[in-house]
Amino acid sequence: MEDFRKHNKCLTERARELRKNMTEAESKLWHLFLKKLRVRVLRQKVIGSFIVDFYCRSAGLVIEIDGSHHFFDEGQWVYDRLRVDVLRGYGLRVVRFSNEEVMESFDFVCKQIEKELDYL
């Protein structure tokens, strides 16, 4: 099994750009919830050959926030499934939420993330 801590360094600059230009949903989740947690959560973290939206190392948790193209583009759906399988192969848990869920059901999303972190 590949060690995901040895990441693709070519993605580091892209991850920095993504941190500076978060989507509205990512920004909301980060500023109003994730950055205030008692556990450390990283934004736009390079893991292996992927950049994940949010990563909590202590929980082994990846949090992905998906735009509408993730649901309507078959190629994107297949790619997302591959990403989840690879990340799970690293022993990580992956939770996904849509932009719409974050924007319109924020409390629900936060509660779901808290449930994932509950055992810490």
Side-chain angles (χ1 to χ4, degrees):
M1 177 190 304
E2 176 187 355
D3 182 357
F4 69 86
R5 291 169 297 210
K6 295 179 182 177
H7 64 266
N8 181 340
K9 294 190 187 312
C10 297
L11 295 176
T12 302
E13 186 59 37
R14 177 70 179 136
R16 277 191 201 111
E17 290 172 23
L18 291 170
R19 279 192 293 275
K20 291 177 187 175
N21 299 298
M22 289 189 291
T23 67
E24 184 179 4
E26 290 170 344
S27 184
K28 179 177 182 174
L29 187 60
W30 173 250
H31 289 290
L32 298 181
F33 182 68
L34 294 175
K35 83 180 216 175
K36 297 176 182 180
L37 289 173
R38 59 183 163 80
V39 295
R40 185 173 185 210
V41 176
L42 301 173
R43 298 176 290 152
Q44 305 301 333
K45 172 71 176 151
V46 178
I47 297 179
S49 57
F50 303 114
I51 301 172
V52 300
D53 293 333
F54 300 101
Y55 174 59
C56 179
R57 180 178 180 194
S58 62
L61 180 65
V62 170
I63 303 165
E64 292 283 84
I65 309 301
D66 297 332
S68 60
H69 66 282
H70 288 265
F71 303 102
F72 300 112
D73 179 335
E74 186 176 346
Q76 184 66 51
W77 187 87
V78 170
Y79 176 74
D80 288 344
R81 187 76 242 148
L82 169 70
R83 277 174 55 106
V84 168
D85 290 346
V86 170
L87 292 168
R88 285 185 178 151
Y90 293 149
L92 302 173
R93 292 174 298 130
V94 180
V95 294
R96 303 185 81 92
F97 301 99
S98 68
N99 283 342
E100 185 176 293
E101 285 176 305
V102 173
M103 299 308 290
E104 297 177 15
S105 302
F106 188 71
D107 289 340
F108 167 79
V109 169
C110 294
K111 284 182 175 131
Q112 294 303 308
I113 294 169
E114 285 175 339
K115 283 181 186 177
E116 292 291 333
L117 298 173
D118 222 12
Y119 73 93
L120 293 177

mmCIF file of all heavy atoms in Angstrom, residues 18-48:
data_model
loop_
_atom_site.group_PDB
_atom_site.id
_atom_site.type_symbol
_atom_site.label_atom_id
_atom_site.label_comp_id
_atom_site.label_asym_id
_atom_site.label_seq_id
_atom_site.Cartn_x
_atom_site.Cartn_y
_atom_site.Cartn_z
ATOM 1 N N LEU A 18 -6.041 26.877 -3.889
ATOM 2 C CA LEU A 18 -7.389 26.493 -3.470
ATOM 3 C C LEU A 18 -7.709 27.008 -2.068
ATOM 4 O O LEU A 18 -8.850 27.392 -1.792
ATOM 5 C CB LEU A 18 -7.562 24.975 -3.539
ATOM 6 C CG LEU A 18 -7.574 24.373 -4.944
ATOM 7 C CD1 LEU A 18 -7.508 22.846 -4.874
ATOM 8 C CD2 LEU A 18 -8.810 24.826 -5.712
ATOM 9 N N ARG A 19 -6.714 27.041 -1.176
ATOM 10 C CA ARG A 19 -6.939 27.587 0.167
ATOM 11 C C ARG A 19 -7.269 29.076 0.093
ATOM 12 O O ARG A 19 -8.077 29.574 0.867
ATOM 13 C CB ARG A 19 -5.716 27.369 1.055
ATOM 14 C CG ARG A 19 -5.647 25.988 1.651
ATOM 15 C CD ARG A 19 -4.603 25.880 2.749
ATOM 16 N NE ARG A 19 -3.246 26.027 2.304
ATOM 17 C CZ ARG A 19 -2.499 25.033 1.804
ATOM 18 N NH1 ARG A 19 -2.996 23.825 1.674
ATOM 19 N NH2 ARG A 19 -1.269 25.262 1.429
ATOM 20 N N LYS A 20 -6.632 29.771 -0.828
ATOM 21 C CA LYS A 20 -6.879 31.210 -0.983
ATOM 22 C C LYS A 20 -8.212 31.492 -1.661
ATOM 23 O O LYS A 20 -8.751 32.585 -1.527
ATOM 24 C CB LYS A 20 -5.758 31.852 -1.805
ATOM 25 C CG LYS A 20 -4.436 31.907 -1.095
ATOM 26 C CD LYS A 20 -3.373 32.487 -1.997
ATOM 27 C CE LYS A 20 -2.002 32.399 -1.369
ATOM 28 N NZ LYS A 20 -0.943 32.849 -2.285
ATOM 29 N N ASN A 21 -8.724 30.541 -2.425
ATOM 30 C CA ASN A 21 -9.931 30.746 -3.222
ATOM 31 C C ASN A 21 -10.983 29.672 -2.948
ATOM 32 O O ASN A 21 -11.475 29.037 -3.859
ATOM 33 C CB ASN A 21 -9.574 30.743 -4.713
ATOM 34 C CG ASN A 21 -8.614 31.852 -5.064
ATOM 35 O OD1 ASN A 21 -8.931 33.019 -4.903
ATOM 36 N ND2 ASN A 21 -7.427 31.490 -5.513
ATOM 37 N N MET A 22 -11.321 29.511 -1.671
ATOM 38 C CA MET A 22 -12.317 28.509 -1.318
ATOM 39 C C MET A 22 -13.678 28.872 -1.901
ATOM 40 O O MET A 22 -13.978 30.061 -2.095
ATOM 41 C CB MET A 22 -12.441 28.401 0.206
ATOM 42 C CG MET A 22 -11.267 27.759 0.880
ATOM 43 S SD MET A 22 -11.571 27.429 2.643
ATOM 44 C CE MET A 22 -11.612 29.084 3.297
ATOM 45 N N THR A 23 -14.477 27.847 -2.146
ATOM 46 C CA THR A 23 -15.849 28.105 -2.580
ATOM 47 C C THR A 23 -16.618 28.720 -1.415
ATOM 48 O O THR A 23 -16.167 28.680 -0.258
ATOM 49 C CB THR A 23 -16.553 26.802 -3.016
ATOM 50 O OG1 THR A 23 -16.714 25.963 -1.860
ATOM 51 C CG2 THR A 23 -15.776 26.079 -4.109
ATOM 52 N N GLU A 24 -17.781 29.260 -1.703
ATOM 53 C CA GLU A 24 -18.603 29.861 -0.653
ATOM 54 C C GLU A 24 -18.948 28.835 0.431
ATOM 55 O O GLU A 24 -18.880 29.129 1.628
ATOM 56 C CB GLU A 24 -19.877 30.441 -1.263
ATOM 57 C CG GLU A 24 -20.753 31.171 -0.281
ATOM 58 C CD GLU A 24 -22.004 31.758 -0.906
ATOM 59 O OE1 GLU A 24 -22.258 31.538 -2.102
ATOM 60 O OE2 GLU A 24 -22.735 32.429 -0.161
ATOM 61 N N ALA A 25 -19.291 27.625 0.011
ATOM 62 C CA ALA A 25 -19.650 26.576 0.976
ATOM 63 C C ALA A 25 -18.432 26.159 1.813
ATOM 64 O O ALA A 25 -18.545 25.989 3.033
ATOM 65 C CB ALA A 25 -20.244 25.374 0.253
ATOM 66 N N GLU A 26 -17.284 25.986 1.174
ATOM 67 C CA GLU A 26 -16.065 25.632 1.911
ATOM 68 C C GLU A 26 -15.717 26.720 2.922
ATOM 69 O O GLU A 26 -15.371 26.429 4.064
ATOM 70 C CB GLU A 26 -14.893 25.434 0.951
ATOM 71 C CG GLU A 26 -14.983 24.211 0.098
ATOM 72 C CD GLU A 26 -13.938 24.175 -1.010
ATOM 73 O OE1 GLU A 26 -13.316 25.223 -1.325
ATOM 74 O OE2 GLU A 26 -13.752 23.094 -1.570
ATOM 75 N N SER A 27 -15.799 27.963 2.491
ATOM 76 C CA SER A 27 -15.474 29.086 3.359
ATOM 77 C C SER A 27 -16.407 29.138 4.568
ATOM 78 O O SER A 27 -15.966 29.333 5.704
ATOM 79 C CB SER A 27 -15.556 30.391 2.561
ATOM 80 O OG SER A 27 -15.161 31.478 3.359
ATOM 81 N N LYS A 28 -17.687 28.943 4.332
ATOM 82 C CA LYS A 28 -18.661 28.953 5.427
ATOM 83 C C LYS A 28 -18.342 27.848 6.429
ATOM 84 O O LYS A 28 -18.283 28.103 7.639
ATOM 85 C CB LYS A 28 -20.076 28.780 4.875
ATOM 86 C CG LYS A 28 -21.135 28.765 5.951
ATOM 87 C CD LYS A 28 -22.537 28.659 5.360
ATOM 88 C CE LYS A 28 -23.585 28.688 6.466
ATOM 89 N NZ LYS A 28 -24.947 28.720 5.917
ATOM 90 N N LEU A 29 -18.137 26.638 5.928
ATOM 91 C CA LEU A 29 -17.865 25.516 6.817
ATOM 92 C C LEU A 29 -16.567 25.745 7.597
ATOM 93 O O LEU A 29 -16.488 25.470 8.796
ATOM 94 C CB LEU A 29 -17.799 24.208 6.021
ATOM 95 C CG LEU A 29 -17.678 22.934 6.844
ATOM 96 C CD1 LEU A 29 -18.871 22.757 7.783
ATOM 97 C CD2 LEU A 29 -17.539 21.727 5.925
ATOM 98 N N TRP A 30 -15.559 26.265 6.929
ATOM 99 C CA TRP A 30 -14.271 26.515 7.574
ATOM 100 C C TRP A 30 -14.380 27.586 8.654
ATOM 101 O O TRP A 30 -14.028 27.368 9.808
ATOM 102 C CB TRP A 30 -13.218 26.909 6.539
ATOM 103 C CG TRP A 30 -11.931 27.331 7.167
ATOM 104 C CD1 TRP A 30 -11.410 28.589 7.204
ATOM 105 C CD2 TRP A 30 -11.007 26.502 7.889
ATOM 106 N NE1 TRP A 30 -10.221 28.596 7.895
ATOM 107 C CE2 TRP A 30 -9.954 27.315 8.323
ATOM 108 C CE3 TRP A 30 -10.977 25.152 8.204
ATOM 109 C CZ2 TRP A 30 -8.881 26.843 9.056
ATOM 110 C CZ3 TRP A 30 -9.905 24.672 8.931
ATOM 111 C CH2 TRP A 30 -8.880 25.509 9.354
ATOM 112 N N HIS A 31 -14.868 28.761 8.283
ATOM 113 C CA HIS A 31 -14.849 29.906 9.194
ATOM 114 C C HIS A 31 -15.846 29.787 10.341
ATOM 115 O O HIS A 31 -15.568 30.252 11.453
ATOM 116 C CB HIS A 31 -15.075 31.202 8.428
ATOM 117 C CG HIS A 31 -13.909 31.569 7.572
ATOM 118 N ND1 HIS A 31 -12.711 31.990 8.085
ATOM 119 C CD2 HIS A 31 -13.743 31.551 6.228
ATOM 120 C CE1 HIS A 31 -11.856 32.230 7.112
ATOM 121 N NE2 HIS A 31 -12.458 31.954 5.971
ATOM 122 N N LEU A 32 -16.983 29.176 10.078
ATOM 123 C CA LEU A 32 -18.017 29.118 11.114
ATOM 124 C C LEU A 32 -17.980 27.838 11.950
ATOM 125 O O LEU A 32 -18.637 27.769 12.989
ATOM 126 C CB LEU A 32 -19.408 29.263 10.478
ATOM 127 C CG LEU A 32 -19.672 30.585 9.762
ATOM 128 C CD1 LEU A 32 -21.078 30.606 9.198
ATOM 129 C CD2 LEU A 32 -19.443 31.775 10.691
ATOM 130 N N PHE A 33 -17.196 26.842 11.512
ATOM 131 C CA PHE A 33 -17.230 25.582 12.250
ATOM 132 C C PHE A 33 -15.876 24.896 12.379
ATOM 133 O O PHE A 33 -15.363 24.740 13.481
ATOM 134 C CB PHE A 33 -18.252 24.632 11.599
ATOM 135 C CG PHE A 33 -18.403 23.329 12.317
ATOM 136 C CD1 PHE A 33 -18.968 23.270 13.576
ATOM 137 C CD2 PHE A 33 -17.969 22.155 11.734
ATOM 138 C CE1 PHE A 33 -19.093 22.056 14.242
ATOM 139 C CE2 PHE A 33 -18.086 20.944 12.383
ATOM 140 C CZ PHE A 33 -18.648 20.895 13.654
ATOM 141 N N LEU A 34 -15.281 24.477 11.282
ATOM 142 C CA LEU A 34 -14.104 23.602 11.339
ATOM 143 C C LEU A 34 -12.904 24.227 12.026
ATOM 144 O O LEU A 34 -12.215 23.569 12.794
ATOM 145 C CB LEU A 34 -13.726 23.126 9.930
ATOM 146 C CG LEU A 34 -14.726 22.210 9.249
ATOM 147 C CD1 LEU A 34 -14.280 21.909 7.823
ATOM 148 C CD2 LEU A 34 -14.924 20.921 10.043
ATOM 149 N N LYS A 35 -12.636 25.483 11.762
ATOM 150 C CA LYS A 35 -11.435 26.085 12.355
ATOM 151 C C LYS A 35 -11.587 26.327 13.852
ATOM 152 O O LYS A 35 -10.611 26.562 14.543
ATOM 153 C CB LYS A 35 -11.006 27.335 11.606
ATOM 154 C CG LYS A 35 -11.689 28.611 11.958
ATOM 155 C CD LYS A 35 -11.123 29.738 11.113
ATOM 156 C CE LYS A 35 -11.045 31.028 11.865
ATOM 157 N NZ LYS A 35 -10.404 32.071 11.085
ATOM 158 N N LYS A 36 -12.813 26.205 14.368
ATOM 159 C CA LYS A 36 -13.074 26.416 15.797
ATOM 160 C C LYS A 36 -13.098 25.112 16.590
ATOM 161 O O LYS A 36 -13.246 25.139 17.805
ATOM 162 C CB LYS A 36 -14.410 27.133 15.965
ATOM 163 C CG LYS A 36 -14.420 28.511 15.341
ATOM 164 C CD LYS A 36 -15.780 29.144 15.438
ATOM 165 C CE LYS A 36 -15.777 30.510 14.754
ATOM 166 N NZ LYS A 36 -17.082 31.152 14.830
ATOM 167 N N LEU A 37 -12.955 23.990 15.912
ATOM 168 C CA LEU A 37 -13.010 22.702 16.596
ATOM 169 C C LEU A 37 -11.822 22.504 17.521
ATOM 170 O O LEU A 37 -10.761 23.109 17.336
ATOM 171 C CB LEU A 37 -13.043 21.565 15.569
ATOM 172 C CG LEU A 37 -14.334 21.414 14.773
ATOM 173 C CD1 LEU A 37 -14.163 20.363 13.693
ATOM 174 C CD2 LEU A 37 -15.496 21.055 15.691
ATOM 175 N N ARG A 38 -11.971 21.608 18.472
ATOM 176 C CA ARG A 38 -10.882 21.301 19.418
ATOM 177 C C ARG A 38 -9.828 20.413 18.776
ATOM 178 O O ARG A 38 -8.759 20.212 19.348
ATOM 179 C CB ARG A 38 -11.440 20.651 20.669
ATOM 180 C CG ARG A 38 -12.182 19.372 20.415
ATOM 181 C CD ARG A 38 -12.793 18.800 21.694
ATOM 182 N NE ARG A 38 -13.803 17.816 21.403
ATOM 183 C CZ ARG A 38 -13.562 16.567 21.075
ATOM 184 N NH1 ARG A 38 -12.333 16.131 20.988
ATOM 185 N NH2 ARG A 38 -14.553 15.733 20.823
ATOM 186 N N VAL A 39 -10.120 19.871 17.615
ATOM 187 C CA VAL A 39 -9.139 19.072 16.876
ATOM 188 C C VAL A 39 -8.669 19.883 15.672
ATOM 189 O O VAL A 39 -9.385 20.746 15.178
ATOM 190 C CB VAL A 39 -9.725 17.715 16.407
ATOM 191 C CG1 VAL A 39 -10.057 16.847 17.590
ATOM 192 C CG2 VAL A 39 -10.934 17.916 15.514
ATOM 193 N N ARG A 40 -7.463 19.603 15.229
ATOM 194 C CA ARG A 40 -6.892 20.341 14.095
ATOM 195 C C ARG A 40 -7.451 19.799 12.784
ATOM 196 O O ARG A 40 -7.404 18.596 12.519
ATOM 197 C CB ARG A 40 -5.383 20.209 14.098
ATOM 198 C CG ARG A 40 -4.716 21.041 13.044
ATOM 199 C CD ARG A 40 -3.224 21.005 13.209
ATOM 200 N NE ARG A 40 -2.622 21.914 12.248
ATOM 201 C CZ ARG A 40 -1.437 21.728 11.738
ATOM 202 N NH1 ARG A 40 -0.690 20.708 12.121
ATOM 203 N NH2 ARG A 40 -0.945 22.579 10.865
ATOM 204 N N VAL A 41 -7.944 20.709 11.975
ATOM 205 C CA VAL A 41 -8.446 20.380 10.646
ATOM 206 C C VAL A 41 -7.665 21.221 9.648
ATOM 207 O O VAL A 41 -7.507 22.431 9.837
ATOM 208 C CB VAL A 41 -9.963 20.665 10.523
ATOM 209 C CG1 VAL A 41 -10.451 20.399 9.107
ATOM 210 C CG2 VAL A 41 -10.755 19.844 11.534
ATOM 211 N N LEU A 42 -7.166 20.583 8.604
ATOM 212 C CA LEU A 42 -6.406 21.280 7.567
ATOM 213 C C LEU A 42 -7.286 21.484 6.344
ATOM 214 O O LEU A 42 -8.111 20.642 6.016
ATOM 215 C CB LEU A 42 -5.173 20.461 7.192
ATOM 216 C CG LEU A 42 -4.211 20.178 8.337
ATOM 217 C CD1 LEU A 42 -3.114 19.222 7.875
ATOM 218 C CD2 LEU A 42 -3.611 21.460 8.870
ATOM 219 N N ARG A 43 -7.066 22.591 5.650
ATOM 220 C CA ARG A 43 -7.799 22.897 4.421
ATOM 221 C C ARG A 43 -6.961 22.510 3.213
ATOM 222 O O ARG A 43 -5.747 22.703 3.214
ATOM 223 C CB ARG A 43 -8.078 24.403 4.312
ATOM 224 C CG ARG A 43 -8.911 24.955 5.392
ATOM 225 C CD ARG A 43 -9.047 26.464 5.269
ATOM 226 N NE ARG A 43 -7.782 27.118 5.567
ATOM 227 C CZ ARG A 43 -7.398 28.282 5.066
ATOM 228 N NH1 ARG A 43 -8.149 28.941 4.237
ATOM 229 N NH2 ARG A 43 -6.244 28.809 5.411
ATOM 230 N N GLN A 44 -7.636 22.015 2.185
ATOM 231 C CA GLN A 44 -6.992 21.716 0.911
ATOM 232 C C GLN A 44 -5.669 20.985 1.123
ATOM 233 O O GLN A 44 -4.602 21.456 0.764
ATOM 234 C CB GLN A 44 -6.803 22.988 0.101
ATOM 235 C CG GLN A 44 -8.070 23.772 -0.136
ATOM 236 C CD GLN A 44 -9.139 22.992 -0.875
ATOM 237 O OE1 GLN A 44 -8.857 22.081 -1.627
ATOM 238 N NE2 GLN A 44 -10.395 23.349 -0.659
ATOM 239 N N LYS A 45 -5.756 19.835 1.724
ATOM 240 C CA LYS A 45 -4.593 19.030 2.078
ATOM 241 C C LYS A 45 -4.259 18.047 0.962
ATOM 242 O O LYS A 45 -5.137 17.351 0.451
ATOM 243 C CB LYS A 45 -4.898 18.274 3.384
ATOM 244 C CG LYS A 45 -3.869 17.261 3.784
ATOM 245 C CD LYS A 45 -2.601 17.908 4.251
ATOM 246 C CE LYS A 45 -1.626 16.839 4.739
ATOM 247 N NZ LYS A 45 -0.264 17.222 4.576
ATOM 248 N N VAL A 46 -2.992 17.992 0.593
ATOM 249 C CA VAL A 46 -2.531 17.021 -0.386
ATOM 250 C C VAL A 46 -2.367 15.681 0.330
ATOM 251 O O VAL A 46 -1.644 15.580 1.320
ATOM 252 C CB VAL A 46 -1.197 17.441 -1.035
ATOM 253 C CG1 VAL A 46 -0.724 16.378 -2.020
ATOM 254 C CG2 VAL A 46 -1.328 18.801 -1.723
ATOM 255 N N ILE A 47 -3.072 14.684 -0.167
ATOM 256 C CA ILE A 47 -2.967 13.315 0.352
ATOM 257 C C ILE A 47 -2.721 12.421 -0.854
ATOM 258 O O ILE A 47 -3.583 12.298 -1.724
ATOM 259 C CB ILE A 47 -4.239 12.884 1.098
ATOM 260 C CG1 ILE A 47 -4.451 13.759 2.332
ATOM 261 C CG2 ILE A 47 -4.155 11.409 1.483
ATOM 262 C CD1 ILE A 47 -5.690 13.426 3.132
ATOM 263 N N GLY A 48 -1.537 11.822 -0.905
ATOM 264 C CA GLY A 48 -1.191 11.011 -2.069
ATOM 265 C C GLY A 48 -1.206 11.874 -3.314
ATOM 266 O O GLY A 48 -0.531 12.895 -3.399
#
